[in-house]
Amino acid sequence: MNVVNHPIRRSFVFFLVPDFTMIAFATALDPLRSANRMLGYEAYRWRLASIDGKPVRASNGVECAVNTSLEDERKKMSGPERPNMAVVCSGINVERYQNKSAFAWLREEYNRGVAVGGLCTGAHILAAAGLLSNKRCAIHWENLPGFSEAFPKANVFADLFEIDQNIYTCAGGTAALDMMLKLIGDDFDESLVNRVCEQVLTDRVRSPTDRQRLPLRARLGVQNSKVLTIIELMEANLSEPLSLIEIADHVDLSRRQIERLFRTEMGRSPARYYLEIRLDRARHLLIQSSLPVVEVAVACGFVSASHFSKCYRELYARSPQQERVDRKQLLVA
């Protein structure tokens, strides 16, 4: 009887960072298991790693055991167990993660021809390791403002996932499923992808450029197309806010018409709404980055730190400085 030896298509190391997002990890890993089951052999192989080989707690509180430490992974680099791909699994509080050993390991893997990936906020760690300069990448929408300010050389997009040569990044959540299905399709064919989709009860592979967030119409409950266009203009121009006259020229309405529309649809003036979305971005930057308050103010279109602080306190009932202090105390607790 002839025994067919099927080749391993890819081997993975999933590197777990404290507070990693479980849903992104699970939806990246399980399509590989399903593909193996559909194929009837082990086309994909994986192991889990942490800094010290000890279990890692996810953001939902579940501890995940691992197979190796980074010291073990370094020993495997030059042997038959070297992976085809090293994937960073992270989540909340990624801005606090500073581990030179992990950064060095990722660079070593990449320089040896190993593909590297990041799930959810993993792009932040890849960028901190110096791997995303002039590279396209994706990160969770909530972390995008802070990431853009911290790593201006990275070409970050609010896409579901990005593949730039040997670098794979996705925005987390179920976007990890889409990225892995794309990878499986590249390795095999659409037939296998469809069979895996049936197993995991999804009807399609979303495009990399599909929206991370709900469309504005659904997110805000607004139907008026002019208002939606104006809000999109505002969100695209936060660091250098447009004047109401400039907005009016873009949408071919008068200032009075825009004021009336916003009062009706949004329950506030356009100026107030614009201010609120700029302050919302500022809050994300304060929480997710170490930028000085004055730089956060400039990044969100404020002419002075004092004006920024006054507006911030009026909306959130605390100063930007207190926002940071409260955040640090929450993280320590």
Side-chain angles (χ1 to χ4, degrees), residues 168-190:
Y168 296 69
T169 51
C170 78
T174 57
L177 171 64
D178 298 289
M179 186 172 77
M180 285 303 187
L181 289 173
K182 171 66 167 64
L183 184 150
I184 291 168
D186 289 345
D187 286 348
F188 290 95
D189 54 29
E190 189 176 349

Side-chain angles (χ1 to χ4, degrees), residues 26-206:
T27 54
L29 186 60
D30 231 47
L32 304 178
R33 179 197 64 80
S34 291
N36 285 348
R37 181 168 176 245
M38 295 300 101
L39 290 165
Y41 67 92
E42 191 179 50
Y44 297 108
R45 187 175 291 170
W46 56 85
R47 58 181 178 265
L48 312 184
S50 67
I51 282 288
D52 52 11
K54 295 180 180 179
V56 183
R57 187 183 296 273
S59 57
N60 62 6
V62 174
E63 276 201 341
C64 188
V66 301
N67 309 106
T68 62
S69 66
L70 284 198
E71 183 180 351
D72 298 327
E73 288 302 324
R74 284 198 168 89
K75 293 175 182 176
K76 297 177 187 293
M77 272 189 197
S78 56
E81 292 188 272
R82 185 177 72 179
N84 300 111
M85 190 170 180
V87 182
V88 177
C89 308
S90 57
I92 61 173
N93 304 325
V94 69
E95 307 81 17
R96 300 169 57 206
Y97 192 78
Q98 295 292 329
N99 192 295
K100 292 181 179 179
S101 179
F103 299 159
W105 169 70
L106 287 166
R107 288 192 297 269
E108 289 172 47
E109 294 282 18
Y110 182 74
N111 290 335
R112 286 173 177 262
V114 174
V116 295
L119 307 181
C120 191
T121 60
H124 196 288
I125 292 176
L126 297 183
L131 295 174
L132 292 185
S133 292
N134 301 314
K135 298 290 187 182
R136 291 177 65 92
C137 62
I139 198 167
H140 192 278
W141 64 266
E142 196 173 38
N143 298 82
L144 199 148
F147 180 91
S148 297
E149 295 295 333
F151 305 106
K153 292 183 179 180
N155 298 324
V156 64
F157 296 89
D159 295 340
L160 293 183
F161 65 92
E162 284 287 344
I163 300 173
D164 191 335
Q165 296 180 323
N166 224 18
I167 295 178
Y168 296 69
T169 51
C170 78
T174 57
L177 171 64
D178 298 289
M179 186 172 77
M180 285 303 187
L181 289 173
K182 171 66 167 64
L183 184 150
I184 291 168
D186 289 345
D187 286 348
F188 290 95
D189 54 29
E190 189 176 349
S191 172
L192 177 59
V193 170
N194 290 339
R195 291 165 69 195
V196 173
C197 283
E198 287 181 338
Q199 284 294 310
V200 300
L201 306 183
T202 187
D203 61 353
R204 69 185 181 101
V205 182
R206 291 177 293 178

Side-chain angles (χ1 to χ4, degrees), residues 238-258:
L238 297 180
S239 59
E240 295 182 12
L242 300 173
S243 69
L244 193 52
I245 293 174
E246 290 173 312
I247 292 173
D249 288 341
H250 270 95
V251 296
D252 197 26
L253 292 174
S254 69
R255 291 181 58 180
R256 183 171 294 180
Q257 286 174 312
I258 293 175

Side-chain angles (χ1 to χ4, degrees), residues 10 32 43 64 81 112 137 158 232 261 287 289 303 308:
R10 297 186 198 239
L32 304 178
C64 188
E81 292 188 272
R112 286 173 177 262
C137 62
E232 287 175 348
L261 274 174
I287 291 171
S289 77
V303 295
F308 167 56

Side-chain angles (χ1 to χ4, degrees), residues 281-294:
R281 181 181 183 184
R283 185 168 181 271
H284 279 97
L285 289 175
L286 289 167
I287 291 171
Q288 298 167 7
S289 77
S290 58
L291 287 174
V293 171
V294 66

